[in-house]
Amino acid sequence: MIKKTILGLLATMALSTLVFGRDACSYLKTIGSSARNAIKSEVPIEFELQRARDMVANLMPDIRQCMHVIAEEEVNVEHLTREVDRCGGELAKQKDEILALRSALGNGGQSFRFAGHSYTSNEVRRDLAQRFERFKTAETTVASKRQILEARQKSVVAAREKLQGMLSSKRDLEVQIENIDARLKTQQAMQTASNVQLDDSQLARAKQLVVELTKQLDVNQKVLDADGHFTGVIPVETGAPPEDLTTQIDEYFQSSSTANEVAHQAAPAL
């Protein structure tokens, strides 16, 4: 399979050389670049956005490794600090002892007694010389350890700053990705809204129907009014009949009967 692929590539290169001549490489590069751009333009933004999220998430192993290195270096600095302090205390003690022996020799005596033992001036002088050499060596060693301590302390500070920079950059990238996601969703919503086609004709027909129904009801109302069927909004009740209704009826008909008799009597006989 690999052999066939290589042979195919060689054949393509040979054909390109025959067609384009010395410009074949330039054509192939341009074709390859155009193909890459075309393929990249077809990749959905959502996919690229997820790829960006994955890349930011993949920063965590490096961040954890940096944290581990800082923790180890901090432990080393703590141990080295204690060691330098201990050596510094020993140097101070050795210095006091050297100065004590030097002070004793300065008195010009021939015999000296320290811690219950007697020593000659030569013994004290040899011991003082050895102490002084050891002191200078130890002092150089402590100075070197202090330099190493300072270098490691600076290294810890630099590592912390690097870690803070990585965390800050990670947070900034996360915010930028979320902003891009929000903009993408807004654009998608706007695009969806612009693609929605509203049917205004249906709305217009509904409005026209309401107008026609209103007109029809108005016509019916006018017809009812013309027939004497009046309708109102406020209901009006006739009320209860009077309590002296019978008396009024008797008086009405009695007065009508008397009036008829008088008229009959007054009429001339024929």
Side-chain angles (χ1 to χ4, degrees):
M1 184 66 182
I2 298 175
K3 184 177 180 180
K4 291 182 179 179
T5 303
I6 295 174
L7 292 176
L9 292 174
L10 292 175
T12 302
M13 294 175 63
L15 181 60
S16 300
T17 304
L18 290 175
V19 175
F20 300 110
R22 287 179 295 181
D23 295 331
C25 292
S26 177
Y27 278 104
L28 290 175
K29 289 181 180 179
T30 303
I31 291 172
S33 178
S34 299
R36 285 194 300 270
N37 293 333
I39 294 173
K40 188 174 182 180
S41 64
E42 294 297 327
V43 177
I45 298 179
E46 293 85 354
F47 179 81
E48 294 289 358
L49 198 60
Q50 185 58 44
R51 193 164 70 93
R53 286 194 179 98
D54 294 339
M55 293 175 67
V56 173
N58 289 334
L59 294 175
M60 285 307 301
D62 294 336
I63 292 175
R64 292 193 183 95
Q65 179 63 27
C66 186
M67 291 179 177
H68 183 72
V69 171
I70 291 174
E72 286 185 346
E73 195 63 20
E74 287 177 344
V75 171
N76 292 331
V77 167
E78 291 175 358
H79 283 272
L80 185 57
T81 300
R82 288 195 293 267
E83 184 178 355
V84 169
D85 293 340
R86 180 182 59 79
C87 293
E90 292 179 355
L91 278 178
K93 181 180 178 182
Q94 292 177 13
K95 181 180 178 180
D96 292 339
E97 293 175 351
I98 289 173
L99 292 178
L101 292 176
R102 169 65 182 84
S103 177
L105 284 176
N107 294 329
Q110 296 298 320
S111 177
F112 304 92
R113 191 172 182 83
F114 298 100
H117 298 279
S118 298
Y119 302 94
T120 63
S121 59
N122 290 332
E123 290 175 342
V124 172
R125 188 174 288 105
R126 283 194 300 270
D127 183 71
L128 181 60
Q130 293 174 357
R131 286 174 180 267
F132 184 54
E133 292 298 327
R134 288 196 302 268
F135 176 81
K136 290 189 293 184
T137 301
E139 191 177 36
T140 302
T141 302
V142 172
S144 177
K145 288 183 178 181
R146 285 198 176 100
Q147 292 178 354
I148 294 173
L149 177 61
E150 291 177 0
R152 288 195 168 182
Q153 288 173 340
K154 292 179 180 179
S155 176
V156 170
V157 173
R160 286 176 179 171
E161 292 177 353
K162 180 180 179 180
L163 176 61
Q164 292 300 323
M166 293 176 67
L167 293 173
S168 178
S169 299
K170 181 177 178 294
R171 287 191 295 267
D172 291 342
L173 287 173
E174 290 173 345
V175 172
Q176 293 178 24
I177 289 174
E178 293 305 318
N179 289 336
I180 292 173
D181 187 31
R183 290 183 60 188
L184 176 61
K185 290 179 179 178
T186 302
Q187 292 179 2
Q188 290 175 344
M190 293 174 63
Q191 185 177 4
T192 301
S194 63
N195 291 334
V196 174
Q197 300 295 332
L198 297 177
D199 189 3
D200 294 337
S201 61
Q202 183 72 14
L203 180 61
R205 288 195 298 270
K207 290 182 178 180
Q208 183 63 32
L209 179 58
V210 171
V211 172
E212 292 176 357
L213 291 173
T214 303
K215 289 181 179 180
Q216 185 176 351
L217 289 175
D218 291 341
V219 171
N220 293 339
Q221 185 65 45
K222 288 185 178 295
V223 171
L224 290 173
D225 292 342
D227 290 341
H229 300 285
F230 302 101
T231 61
V233 178
I234 301 176
V236 179
E237 297 181 356
T238 58
E243 296 180 356
D244 57 346
L245 177 62
T246 57
T247 304
Q248 292 181 14
I249 292 174
D250 293 341
E251 291 178 353
Y252 177 80
F253 285 108
Q254 185 179 2
S255 61
S256 298
S257 176
T258 302
N260 289 332
E261 290 179 356
V262 171
H264 180 72
Q265 293 175 0
L270 298 176

